[in-house]
Amino acid sequence: FGVGPEGGLQQLGDRWFDTGWIVIMGKDGTFGIGSTIRLETPSKVMHLIREGNELGKVCDMLFEQTNSKHKSGFFGLMTNDALTRKSAYRDAVIAALAPFIQPKVFES
C-alpha cells in the first residue's frame, strides 16, 4: 500500500476547521480516502495563520510548546489529549481502508 496523509484547514461557512485526510493506494490502483474529525479553529489562531504563520508554529506559540505538530498536535492541545493527532489519523487510516476491507460494496 501507498499511504498519503495531509492536514489542513477547511472553511465551512464563516468558520474554519482543522482536519486531516488519508489516501491509501493499492498495487492494483484501488484506493480509499478517509478523514479525521474536524475541529473548529478559533479566530485567534486563524488571525495568526493569516499573518503568515503555519498552524504548528501558532500552536507552539499559544501553548508554549516546541514542535507540537509532531506530538499531540492541534487536536491534542485543544482537547487536553482526549483526541490526539495520532488517534485522529489512526481513525482516518481505518476509514481509508474500507474499500480494501469491503471491496464488493465499492464495486461499480
Side-chain angles (χ1 to χ4, degrees):
F1 294 105
V3 180
E6 185 59 50
L9 296 167
Q10 179 180 24
Q11 186 175 14
L12 297 173
D14 62 348
R15 296 177 183 268
W16 284 88
F17 295 83
D18 182 44
T19 191
W21 293 92
I22 295 286
V23 175
I24 298 179
M25 180 73 75
K27 287 182 182 179
D28 65 356
T30 301
F31 69 94
I33 301 172
S35 70
T36 66
I37 57 113
R38 288 175 184 85
L39 182 61
E40 186 170 5
T41 308
S43 58
K44 178 187 258 186
V45 173
M46 287 307 300
H47 174 76
L48 293 168
I49 289 170
R50 285 187 182 106
E51 287 183 345
N53 297 295
E54 185 260 340
L55 179 60
K57 181 179 177 183
V58 171
C59 287
D60 286 349
M61 292 182 332
L62 294 176
F63 291 94
E64 299 177 357
Q65 300 278 320
T66 302
N67 204 23
S68 62
K69 69 181 181 179
H70 290 114
K71 298 174 186 168
S72 294
F74 179 74
F75 294 151
L77 292 169
M78 293 298 290
T79 65
N80 286 335
D81 286 329
L83 297 169
T84 64
R85 178 178 180 269
K86 185 176 180 178
S87 67
Y89 278 89
R90 179 202 61 220
D91 291 350
V93 167
I94 294 167
L97 286 169
F100 302 96
I101 296 168
Q102 299 293 342
K104 290 181 182 179
V105 178
F106 283 87
E107 288 176 354
S108 299

